[in-house]
Amino acid sequence: MKAFNNAEVWFVTGSQHLYGPETLRQVAENSHVIAKSFNDSTHIPVKVIFKPVLTTPDAITSLIIEANSSKTCVGLITWCHTFFPSKMWINGLKILQKPSLHLHTQFNRDLPFGEIDMDFMNLNQAAHGDREHGFIMSRMKVNRKVVVGHWQDEEVVGKVAIWTRLAAAWDDMQHMKVARMALFTNLLGNTKPISEQLLDKHFLRKHGNNAYYGQK
C-alpha cells in the first residue's frame, strides 16, 4: 500500500496523428510501461495512473480540466513524444491548477546506432518533443519540476518520488485549516521582552512538581 494511498499522479504522454495508429499504439504501450514502473516503485508514495496518449488540443484541455476537478489527482507527469507540437498544450497550460513534472526521457536506454532508421526515431526518441515542451512552458512561465534522465535510473526515480511527496503536500494544504495564534498581537509590533518570572509561571503551571493546570 502507498503511503498516500488516496493520492494519484497522472502520467500523460503527448503525441500527434502524423505517425499513424500503429506507432501511436506502441507509444501508448511504452507510456504504460513507464507509468507502471513508477507505480510499482516502493520509493514513490502515490499511485501513478496511466492516461491515454493525447494528440489534440481539445483532448489536452479536457484532461487538464478533469485533473483540476479531481479530488484524487495531486499532479501531472508529462512526457512528450518526438516532434510533438507542444503548442497544442497552450490552452490547457493556461488553466492548469495542479503541480506538474516534465519528465525529459526516452523509452530506450541505449540507441542501436548501427541499425537506427527513421522508424526507430519516430517511435523511440522524445528529445525533440521534450525540448519543445520545455520551451513552451518556459515562455508561458509555467512553474514545474523538470527531471532529466532515463526513467529506470535510481536517481530519476528518486527525484520523481520527492516531487510526488511535494505534490501530495501541496494538495493537502489546499484543504488545510490553520489556527493563527497571536497574529494580531504580533501585528501590533510590541517587541518588549516577556519577563523571566512570567515565562516561568506559564511553564511551571503545566510542568514540574507543583503543576496545577491541565494535569487532572
Side-chain angles (χ1 to χ4, degrees):
M1 180 177 291
K2 298 289 188 179
F4 305 109
N5 202 44
N6 295 324
E8 299 175 352
V9 166
W10 292 359
F11 190 91
V12 183
T13 305
S15 189
Q16 58 179 321
H17 289 292
L18 171 67
Y19 301 105
E22 183 178 349
T23 298
L24 289 176
R25 279 195 296 271
Q26 187 61 55
V27 171
E29 290 180 14
N30 292 350
S31 301
H32 191 272
V33 169
I34 299 175
K36 185 178 185 304
S37 177
F38 284 162
N39 186 64
D40 292 344
S41 172
T42 57
H43 300 291
I44 296 178
V46 305
K47 297 176 182 177
V48 180
I49 306 298
F50 165 78
K51 289 293 180 177
V53 177
L54 302 177
T55 57
T56 67
D58 288 343
I60 293 167
T61 302
S62 294
L63 181 131
I64 290 179
I65 291 174
E66 182 184 356
N68 286 342
S69 60
S70 172
K71 294 182 179 180
T72 56
C73 176
V74 300
L76 303 179
I77 297 177
T78 59
W79 178 47
C80 292
H81 185 41
T82 181
F83 298 118
F84 170 67
S86 279
K87 64 183 180 181
M88 293 197 297
W89 282 75
I90 291 176
N91 287 336
L93 290 174
K94 286 180 180 178
I95 61 172
L96 178 62
Q97 299 172 1
K98 298 290 178 79
S100 66
L101 180 147
H102 177 198
L103 181 63
H104 199 321
T105 191
Q106 62 184 33
F107 185 71
N108 293 287
R109 182 188 300 272
D110 302 312
L111 300 180
F113 289 106
E115 54 188 37
I116 197 168
D117 56 17
M118 285 306 300
D119 289 338
F120 182 90
M121 292 292 292
N122 287 339
L123 180 61
N124 295 301
Q125 286 296 317
H128 297 282
D130 280 324
R131 177 185 178 277
E132 183 180 352
H133 199 57
F135 174 78
I136 288 291
M137 289 196 288
S138 294
R139 287 295 301 268
M140 294 180 65
K141 294 181 171 59
V142 175
N143 291 327
R144 79 278 187 193
K145 173 66 177 177
V146 180
V147 176
V148 181
H150 193 260
W151 53 276
Q152 290 178 311
D153 288 348
E154 290 185 4
E155 183 177 358
V156 170
V157 175
K159 291 179 179 179
V160 172
I162 291 172
W163 174 82
T164 60
R165 288 183 178 275
L166 293 173
W170 174 90
D171 182 74
D172 192 51
M173 287 178 61
Q174 308 313 302
H175 319 288
M176 184 182 296
K177 294 181 179 180
V178 180
R180 297 180 295 184
M181 305 298 292
L183 172 65
F184 296 106
T185 301
N186 288 332
L187 292 178
L188 292 175
N190 183 6
T191 58
K192 183 179 178 180
I194 300 175
S195 68
E196 290 293 330
Q197 181 182 7
L198 185 58
L199 288 173
D200 288 343
K201 182 178 180 180
H202 179 71
F203 178 81
L204 293 174
R205 66 177 182 149
K206 298 181 181 179
H207 309 279
N209 295 331
N210 299 317
Y212 59 89
Y213 179 81
Q215 299 300 311
K216 296 181 180 180

